[in-house]
Amino acid sequence: VTGVQTCALPIYCPDGSDFRQDNAEEEDWGFWDWVLYGFLFLLGLLAYFSIDLVVTLLFSLAWMLLCAAWWVVSLAPLRKWYKRKKLGIEKDNYFREVEKDWTLVKNKTVIDDLSYFYGMSNQNVIGALLLKLMAKGDVTIVREKYKNEEKEMLKIVRPLKEIDQNAKGDDRLACHVLKLLTMASGDDLVLQPKEFDSWCRKKSNKTDIQNFMKALEGKSDDEYTKQHAAHLFGLKSFLQDFTLLNERSTMEVGLWDQYLVYAEFFGLADQVRKDMEKICPKYLKLSNITKSLDVSTSVDRGDVIYMFSDSIYTATTNAVERMAERSTSSSGFSSYSSIGGGGGYS
């Protein structure tokens, strides 16, 4: 009927429920609906932000497969085996000395050249240098409170601020390490967690870091390899079978300290230290190295040395990379190669 006003009234159902027509089609979400929605949303975000990571992983996998294929096709294992055979490297050719003209850096290049799969890490070299410093009493391990928790830290007993120009080989490289630790440890001469990394981030320390990284570099030397490869691998075999050979009669603190240094270099420190304890417990009470390591509460004492060496190498490597990035941004891409110098850290 025209002229009659109408108004929308709520509809009342017989059961007493009340709903409006404009909301009739709205659906209520339960708890698990929201959980599913949130999960799908987070999954979408993860996929969006991780696409570069997926591409990188796929590329890395393809690269590893290509390298593995080339490694087999090029007969690399056979050529390595023949070269080792020619140099006289045999499993049971034991060598019981640490030669005077050996250096850890040169020996690392020998290991790299003659390894079947992968070579020696710079962390092993730095760990061996730390043990050399402990043997001389220059550095020790202490347990002190840090943020209400006891931590194992390096303490500089004999600080060094200038490199001894007469030092050569491992002694000179050890001086580089001791100088960096001295400068980074502050007035208390105790290197707290992350203190070395913070020190490496300061531009004023650039030169000292670069000098250390350059000293850590090594080049392959065929003549050195011919002279020392058999003895170097012979020492490794000797340390691996230390308890079997029963070297009790030849216990000498200085020599056994050198054994521990090279055990750290080869990644055998924990095993060799336990072998030494079985053969001659007296040695552990006489050596500065073992007395320092005994401060650690780790089951494997070598873990704490690797922790220190890894933090030192990571911090210095990151510092060099930051230098390269700053140089690249200010001078162009050509500056990167001048800093890296072609070394392993570049």
Side-chain angles (χ1 to χ4, degrees):
V1 179
T2 58
V4 179
Q5 290 184 330
T6 62
C7 61
L9 295 175
I11 299 176
Y12 294 92
C13 296
D15 60 359
S17 62
D18 180 9
F19 66 93
R20 299 185 184 276
Q21 287 179 311
D22 53 355
N23 291 336
E25 297 180 358
E26 182 177 311
E27 296 180 5
D28 290 334
W29 279 35
F31 172 76
W32 290 110
D33 295 314
W34 284 106
V35 170
L36 179 61
Y37 178 79
F39 174 75
L40 292 175
F41 179 74
L42 291 175
L43 191 63
L45 283 178
L46 181 63
Y48 177 77
F49 287 111
S50 65
I51 187 167
D52 289 340
L53 177 62
V54 173
V55 172
T56 302
L57 289 175
L58 290 175
F59 178 79
S60 300
L61 179 61
W63 178 254
M64 287 189 290
L65 290 174
L66 182 62
C67 290
W70 172 251
W71 186 73
V72 174
V73 172
S74 63
L75 301 177
L78 183 61
R79 289 187 287 109
K80 292 281 187 182
W81 176 85
Y82 177 74
K83 188 174 182 180
R84 290 161 69 109
K85 193 81 172 176
K86 192 175 179 181
L87 291 170
I89 299 173
E90 298 287 348
K91 172 63 178 175
D92 296 330
N93 286 351
Y94 299 119
F95 189 70
R96 290 170 166 79
E97 299 177 20
V98 176
E99 297 188 349
K100 292 181 179 180
D101 51 347
W102 279 3
T103 70
L104 292 166
V105 171
K106 286 184 177 180
N107 286 342
K108 178 184 179 297
T109 63
V110 174
I111 299 294
D112 291 344
D113 289 343
L114 297 173
S115 293
Y116 286 111
F117 298 103
Y118 50 87
M120 182 75 61
S121 72
N122 280 313
Q123 287 90 328
N124 286 39
V125 176
I126 296 173
L129 291 168
L130 288 176
L131 292 193
K132 284 182 71 71
L133 292 172
M134 289 179 188
K136 294 192 295 182
D138 296 333
V139 173
T140 190
I141 298 174
V142 295
R143 285 184 62 82
E144 293 188 0
K145 278 197 173 182
Y146 176 77
K147 295 184 177 179
N148 298 323
E149 186 179 353
E150 278 204 344
K151 296 281 187 179
E152 292 154 355
M153 311 178 200
L154 285 176
K155 179 176 178 61
I156 317 305
V157 180
R158 296 175 183 171
L160 179 70
K161 294 188 177 181
E162 293 297 332
I163 302 294
D164 182 0
Q165 298 303 317
N166 295 321
K168 296 180 180 180
D170 287 345
D171 290 336
R172 188 173 183 84
L173 187 53
C175 284
H176 277 286
V177 175
L178 184 57
K179 180 181 178 181
L180 296 187
L181 298 180
T182 300
M183 296 174 69
S185 59
D187 295 335
D188 62 355
L189 296 177
V190 175
L191 200 63
Q192 297 178 340
K194 299 183 180 180
E195 190 172 14
F196 188 80
D197 181 68
S198 299
W199 180 84
C200 286
R201 292 178 180 275
K202 297 178 182 178
K203 293 182 181 180
S204 57
N205 301 319
K206 177 175 101 172
T207 302
D208 291 305
I209 294 170
Q210 286 180 322
N211 289 339
F212 167 66
M213 295 302 279
K214 288 178 181 177
L216 202 57
E217 292 178 5
K219 295 181 179 180
S220 181
D221 185 339
D222 290 339
E223 191 60 35
Y224 184 91
T225 300
K226 289 178 183 178
Q227 291 180 8
H228 302 292
H231 286 170
L232 181 62
F233 278 86
L235 178 64
K236 182 179 181 181
S237 296
F238 167 70
L239 293 175
Q240 287 174 324
D241 297 337
F242 198 76
T243 49
L244 299 178
L245 300 173
N246 196 357
E247 295 295 313
R248 184 182 290 105
S249 60
T250 60
M251 200 289 286
E252 179 187 335
V253 175
L255 179 60
W256 279 32
D257 279 351
Q258 292 184 66
Y259 286 163
L260 269 184
V261 168
Y262 267 89
E264 182 68 32
F265 176 76
F266 290 125
L268 304 170
D270 289 323
Q271 173 228 307
V272 171
R273 185 181 177 281
K274 291 173 184 175
D275 290 347
M276 289 176 169
E277 185 175 11
K278 291 177 184 177
I279 294 174
C280 186
K282 179 183 176 183
Y283 164 71
L284 272 63
K285 298 178 181 179
L286 298 174
S287 170
N288 287 333
I289 294 178
T290 55
K291 285 189 287 187
S292 182
L293 291 176
D294 282 343
V295 174
S296 172
T297 57
S298 301
V299 176
D300 294 328
R301 300 296 192 268
D303 289 347
V304 68
I305 296 298
Y306 186 83
M307 178 187 71
F308 293 138
S309 62
D310 184 61
S311 63
I312 291 170
Y313 183 68
T314 300
T316 50
T317 302
N318 290 342
V320 170
E321 290 176 353
R322 285 192 295 270
M323 295 173 205
E325 290 172 2
R326 285 195 292 266
S327 181
T328 300
S329 62
S330 61
S331 306
F333 289 98
S334 60
S335 301
Y336 184 83
S337 60
S338 64
I339 291 182
Y345 63 87
S346 63

